[in-house]
Amino acid sequence: MSNAQKVLIIDDEPDIRELLEITLMRMGVESFSAYDVQSALKSLNKNDVDLILTDMRLPDGDGLQIVRHVAEKKPDTPIAVITAHGSMDLAIESLKAGAFDFVSKPIDIHKLRDLINQALKVKQESTQPEASESEQSKPLILGKSEPMIMLEKKIRKLAVSQAPVFIHGESGTGKELVARQIHKLGPRRSFPFVPVNCGAIPSELMESEFFGHKKGSFTGASEDKQGFFQAADGGTLFLDEVADLPLAMQVKLLRAIQEKKVRPIGSQHEINVDVRILSATHKNLENLVEEGLFRQDLFYRINVISLLIPPLRNRNSDIPLLCGRILSRIADTYQLPAAKLDAKAKKALDLYAFPGNVRELENILERAFAMCEEDTITEEDLNLNESSSSSISPLPSTNISSRPEGVSLEDYLMDIERNVVEQALEETRWNRTAAAKKLGITFRALRYRLKKLGLD
């Protein structure tokens, strides 16, 4: 009996069927064909297949009927649709209905082969029970609350698709972590995951950063540069804070996503790129569309599937688990004894609203870890009534305008802190106990800072 993978081709055009059959044969894959919806459904009821390729327009219906049937009856079988050129709306609708991916006519053989390889890889992995059960047993994200259990199920389901996913939620909820997990569990995991903070790129550099440039294409272009799309080729491009993209760049980004091609600045030729797009923002993108600040066509293109990350206040039963993991990580990082929360501290955290979500919890615990006595964090150490946006204590006032150009604020503040600590140590002849007293902090807090500043 043959163990070759099998593909069902559904198309009423003999030329297209022949092209697909020849392509699959050259890839060492068996295939058989159906010419309409009814013959396709009969064939699916009789045969197990590893992949389905279906045209959208069929004599007795459309490919969406088959996509929905497969999503319900054979959810582990990837199905890709073939659309007419320019039928992007139908392609997006098919992805929402559960299609793995799509390819447009006229068919690009290179793109078709990539799609087939990725889809067959997904099917092959789903039929390996030992590996599958092992993966299923590993938690993707930290939390056992109902919202996080549901989120993990969605992540696993979305990982095997190629549909663009729009991840939204409040700041600090872990949108990039979720994007990385979707990539890690999918068929693209052996290729790069490229995160891009869209709000951190100067507008005049955006086109070069996304699409690359050729040497000499503008002043300062001393060599060829690869853009984000090329860097992520074969893998995943994660557009964080996508709402911050200027309108002019949104137009170019939309074309790159739809055409799967980019043109580096100064080049006469376009480059094929194969990336999965994941995007995120904490802003309300629908409101920005209504206000004319974000293109509606781009919104529909990146928002094929929407994934909401719950805020920490809606899953406070996860706080003890998160605290344990965060405190353990901090202790390992600075090679200090682990700290534990006392009963009042645990209760205070349970009642706190966490406007900054998990990121704020991390900052609160890092500061408390440095300030606590005898490895026990109290309610006072948490200091929840004050801003928790910083993990260091206030430093002496300084003229912030004196920060050198090109030096980040974080590095600048670290230098100030290092100078203050070094000065205290020198004045006390490196007597750490005396230096801690002079600085008005605990001996543990000084040890923490010495590790953090590389002075230990």
Side-chain angles (χ1 to χ4, degrees):
M1 178 181 280
S2 173
N3 292 321
Q5 292 172 300
K6 297 179 182 178
V7 175
L8 171 61
I9 300 166
I10 310 167
D11 202 302
D12 62 325
E13 295 183 48
D15 290 347
I16 297 293
R17 287 204 304 270
E18 184 179 2
L19 172 65
L20 296 174
E21 286 167 357
I22 292 172
T23 301
L24 288 162
M25 180 183 67
R26 288 176 175 170
M27 295 174 70
V29 178
E30 291 184 9
S31 65
F32 55 102
S33 301
Y35 57 88
D36 61 13
V37 173
Q38 291 306 313
S39 62
L41 294 179
K42 286 179 182 178
S43 185
L44 284 171
N45 289 334
K46 291 180 181 178
N47 302 284
D48 287 326
V49 297
D50 299 290
L51 170 64
I52 302 161
L53 298 171
T54 181
D55 192 13
M56 283 298 285
R57 301 191 184 280
L58 297 167
D60 58 344
D62 60 47
L64 279 174
Q65 293 173 251
I66 301 170
V67 171
R68 295 188 180 108
H69 173 85
V70 171
E72 182 182 352
K73 303 294 185 182
K74 297 177 180 284
D76 293 332
T77 302
I79 177 169
V81 297
I82 302 167
T83 65
H85 182 70
S87 301
M88 190 55 64
D89 289 345
L90 277 175
I92 291 174
E93 192 175 352
S94 71
L95 291 173
K96 287 184 176 180
F100 172 81
D101 206 346
F102 69 92
V103 61
S104 299
K105 296 177 182 177
I107 296 174
D108 183 316
I109 296 298
H110 174 74
K111 291 179 181 178
L112 176 64
R113 290 173 68 93
D114 286 343
L115 184 155
I116 292 169
N117 281 326
Q118 286 178 348
L120 292 177
K121 186 177 179 182
V122 167
K123 180 63 176 178
Q124 190 174 31
E125 289 171 354
S126 72
T127 58
Q128 294 174 350
E130 293 128 12
S132 180
E133 284 167 19
S134 172
E135 285 298 318
Q136 291 289 335
S137 66
K138 295 178 183 177
L140 303 181
I141 42 184
L142 207 57
K144 296 181 179 179
S145 61
E146 187 61 28
M148 297 309 278
I149 291 172
M150 294 300 295
L151 178 62
E152 181 163 325
K153 288 180 179 177
K154 290 177 181 177
I155 289 173
R156 291 189 186 278
K157 185 176 180 180
L158 292 174
V160 299
S161 168
Q162 295 302 292
V165 180
F166 175 57
I167 305 167
H168 56 112
E170 298 175 6
S171 289
T173 48
K175 295 184 284 294
E176 182 173 336
L177 174 62
V178 168
R180 286 183 181 276
Q181 291 292 359
I182 291 173
H183 170 78
K184 182 180 176 182
L185 291 177
R188 295 177 177 268
R189 62 174 167 270
S190 57
F191 292 93
F193 174 90
V194 178
V196 178
N197 186 337
C198 298
I201 307 171
S203 57
E204 64 273 15
L205 297 178
M206 274 200 171
E207 189 172 356
S208 170
E209 290 295 319
F210 274 94
F211 309 135
H213 64 247
K214 304 297 287 183
K215 179 179 178 180
S217 56
F218 56 85
T219 304
S222 57
E223 57 185 22
D224 289 355
K225 175 183 170 66
Q226 190 180 59
F228 295 135
F229 273 86
Q230 296 101 306
D233 193 26
T236 302
L237 183 60
F238 174 54
L239 305 176
D240 197 9
E241 298 305 341
V242 69
D244 293 338
L245 285 171
L247 284 167
M249 190 60 203
Q250 290 176 30
V251 178
K252 295 172 182 176
L253 181 64
L254 175 64
R255 185 182 182 281
I257 293 172
Q258 290 189 164
E259 300 298 326
K260 298 184 179 181
K261 294 179 180 179
V262 296
R263 187 196 299 273
I265 297 174
S267 174
Q268 300 299 314
H269 307 287
E270 290 186 318
I271 301 171
N272 289 325
V273 286
D274 170 33
V275 300
R276 184 182 187 185
I277 299 292
L278 305 179
S279 56
T281 185
H282 70 280
K283 297 179 181 178
N284 189 318
L285 216 50
E286 290 184 358
N287 287 350
L288 293 178
V289 170
E290 291 176 5
E291 294 167 11
L293 299 175
F294 199 87
R295 290 182 63 95
Q296 187 177 54
D297 46 8
L298 179 58
F299 173 66
Y300 287 139
R301 190 65 188 87
I302 64 174
N303 190 32
V304 172
I305 297 175
S306 180
L307 185 62
L308 175 65
I309 312 299
L312 186 54
R313 62 181 173 276
N314 288 358
R315 56 182 189 100
N316 60 355
S317 62
D318 291 330
I319 291 175
L321 190 63
L322 287 165
C323 287
R325 180 67 61 87
I326 293 167
L327 289 172
S328 176
R329 188 182 70 230
I330 295 171
D332 289 344
T333 300
Y334 299 111
Q335 297 178 349
L336 292 170
K340 294 184 179 180
L341 297 155
D342 69 12
K344 287 186 177 179
K346 290 177 181 178
K347 185 175 181 181
L349 288 173
D350 185 56
L351 296 174
Y352 188 60
F354 288 103
N357 293 290
V358 179
R359 186 183 299 131
E360 182 181 9
L361 174 62
E362 290 175 336
N363 288 338
I364 289 170
L365 292 178
E366 185 165 0
R367 184 181 60 192
F369 181 92
M371 302 306 295
C372 73
E373 297 277 5
E374 298 180 355
D375 303 332
T376 301
I377 295 174
T378 67
E379 184 178 4
E380 289 72 27
D381 294 324
L382 295 174
N383 214 5
L384 295 179
N385 292 328
E386 296 186 8
S387 168
S388 301
S389 60
S390 174
S391 60
I392 61 172
S393 300
L395 294 169
S397 61
T398 185
N399 181 8
I400 202 69
S401 64
S402 64
R403 176 170 62 92
E405 187 176 349
V407 176
S408 72
L409 179 61
E410 184 177 350
D411 290 341
Y412 180 60
L413 293 176
M414 285 278 282
D415 284 341
I416 294 173
E417 186 177 9
R418 183 180 290 105
N419 291 335
V420 171
V421 172
E422 284 181 338
Q423 184 178 342
L425 287 167
E426 288 172 1
E427 290 175 358
T428 58
R429 297 185 179 181
W430 286 78
N431 182 316
R432 296 186 181 190
T433 303
K437 186 175 181 180
K438 190 175 186 67
L439 290 166
I441 60 177
T442 65
F443 181 72
R444 180 194 177 92
L446 178 61
R447 284 184 64 195
Y448 164 82
R449 279 178 164 74
L450 291 175
K451 292 278 187 183
K452 184 176 181 181
L453 296 168
L455 297 173
D456 192 35

